[in-house]
C-alpha cells in the first residue's frame, strides 16, 4: 500500500469537489480519485504535531462540521494516520538552499521525510499543487499546471534525492 502526504491545496480541492460539487479549475484534475483510493491502494499521513491537520482545517472553514466528521472517519477507518515528522537537523537547510520558502509548508516535507524511514519497499509520495514544492522561482508563471505535470524544479529534485516522490493530482 502506498504511503502519501497530501498538501493543503489538494485537500482543499477535494473538499470543494465533495461539498460544492465542482472541480477547482486551477488544479490539474479532480482530487476525488486520490481520496477514493485511501484505505484501498494507499494511506495518508499527517504529522503528529497536527500542523497539517490545522492547515486542512483552515482551508475548510466553510464546512467545519463536514471536516470534523471526515477526519474522525478517516482515522477510524485506517485511511489516515499520524506519524512523527523527520528529526533530520539539516532538512530545512537543504530545502531553503533549493529555494523552498520559510513557513508552514516544511511540515509536509518533514512528514514525508519521516515516512522514508518506514517505507523500505516503496518511496512515500507527496501530492502537491503548490509551486513551492516544485520551483518557487516560477511563482509568477502563468500556467503552473504545466510545471506540476512536469514535476521538475530544484525543490522537486531535492525531494527525489531525499527518497520522496512528488506528484500533482493528475500524475498520481
Amino acid at each position: 500500500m502506498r504511503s502519501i502526504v497530501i498538501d493543503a491545496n489538494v485537500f482543499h480541492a477535494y473538499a470543494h469537489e465533495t461539498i460544492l460539487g465542482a472541480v477547482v479549475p486551477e488544479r490539474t484534475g479532480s482530487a476525488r480519485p486520490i481520496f477514493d483510493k485511501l484505505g484501498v491502494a494507499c494511506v495518508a499521513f499527517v504529522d503528529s504535531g497536527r500542523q497539517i491537520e490545522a492547515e486542512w482545517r483552515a482551508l475548510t472553514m466553510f464546512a467545519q462540521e463536514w471536516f470534523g466528521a471526515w477526519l474522525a472517519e478517516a482515522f477510524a477507518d485506517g485511511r489516515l494516520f499520524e506519524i512523527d515528522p523527520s528529526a533530520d537537523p539539516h532538512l530545512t537547510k537543504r530545502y531553503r538552499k533549493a529555494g523552498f520558502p520559510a513557513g508552514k509548508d516544511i511540515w509536509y516535507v518533514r512528514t514525508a521525510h519521516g515516512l522514508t524511514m518506514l517505507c523500505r519497499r516503496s518511496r512515500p509520495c507527496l501530492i502537491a499543487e503548490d509551486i513551492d514544492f516544485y520551483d518557487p522561482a516560477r511563482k509568477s508563471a502563468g500556467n503552473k499546471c504545466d510545471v506540476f505535470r512536469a514535476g521538475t524544479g530544484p525543490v522537486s529534485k531535492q525531494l527525489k534525492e531525499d527518497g520522496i516522490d512528488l506528484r500533482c493530482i493528475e500524475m498520481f
Side-chain angles (χ1 to χ4, degrees):
M1 203 171 290
R2 190 88 196 255
S3 298
I4 63 173
V5 175
I6 302 169
D7 179 50
N9 288 342
V10 176
F11 187 83
H12 179 260
Y14 169 70
H16 191 270
E17 288 177 49
T18 303
I19 297 163
L20 304 176
V23 175
V24 177
E26 298 87 30
R27 302 291 156 235
T28 58
S30 170
R32 199 174 190 94
I34 295 168
F35 290 84
D36 290 346
K37 290 178 183 178
L38 292 180
V40 179
C42 57
V43 290
F45 289 84
V46 294
D47 63 288
S48 57
R50 304 231 168 181
Q51 298 292 325
I52 293 172
E53 180 186 325
E55 199 164 326
W56 288 0
R57 185 180 303 278
L59 289 173
T60 56
M61 292 302 287
F62 64 95
Q64 285 298 295
E65 190 173 312
W66 172 86
F67 179 75
W70 180 88
L71 188 69
E73 287 174 17
F75 277 121
D77 294 345
R79 293 177 282 147
L80 185 64
F81 293 91
E82 282 186 5
I83 186 174
D84 290 333
S86 174
D88 181 341
H90 306 290
L91 184 131
T92 301
K93 187 176 182 178
R94 281 196 309 275
Y95 284 87
R96 295 284 290 145
K97 187 176 178 182
F100 197 76
K104 297 178 197 173
D105 285 345
I106 195 67
W107 284 100
Y108 296 99
V109 175
R110 294 180 78 72
T111 303
H113 194 259
L115 281 169
T116 61
M117 301 303 152
L118 298 176
C119 300
R120 301 269 184 228
R121 293 188 185 142
S122 66
R123 296 162 60 97
C125 184
L126 173 59
I127 305 171
E129 293 206 357
D130 177 338
I131 199 71
D132 290 337
F133 291 103
Y134 297 85
D135 188 352
R138 301 204 48 201
K139 276 191 192 286
S140 60
N143 187 357
K144 292 181 180 81
C145 288
D146 289 341
V147 176
F148 302 152
R149 286 181 185 104
T152 59
V155 177
S156 59
K157 181 181 178 189
Q158 184 61 57
L159 286 164
K160 186 175 184 177
E161 288 175 12
D162 281 337
I164 301 164
D165 291 335
L166 177 65
R167 300 285 183 269
C168 66
I169 292 169
E170 182 181 303
M171 301 311 284
F172 183 74

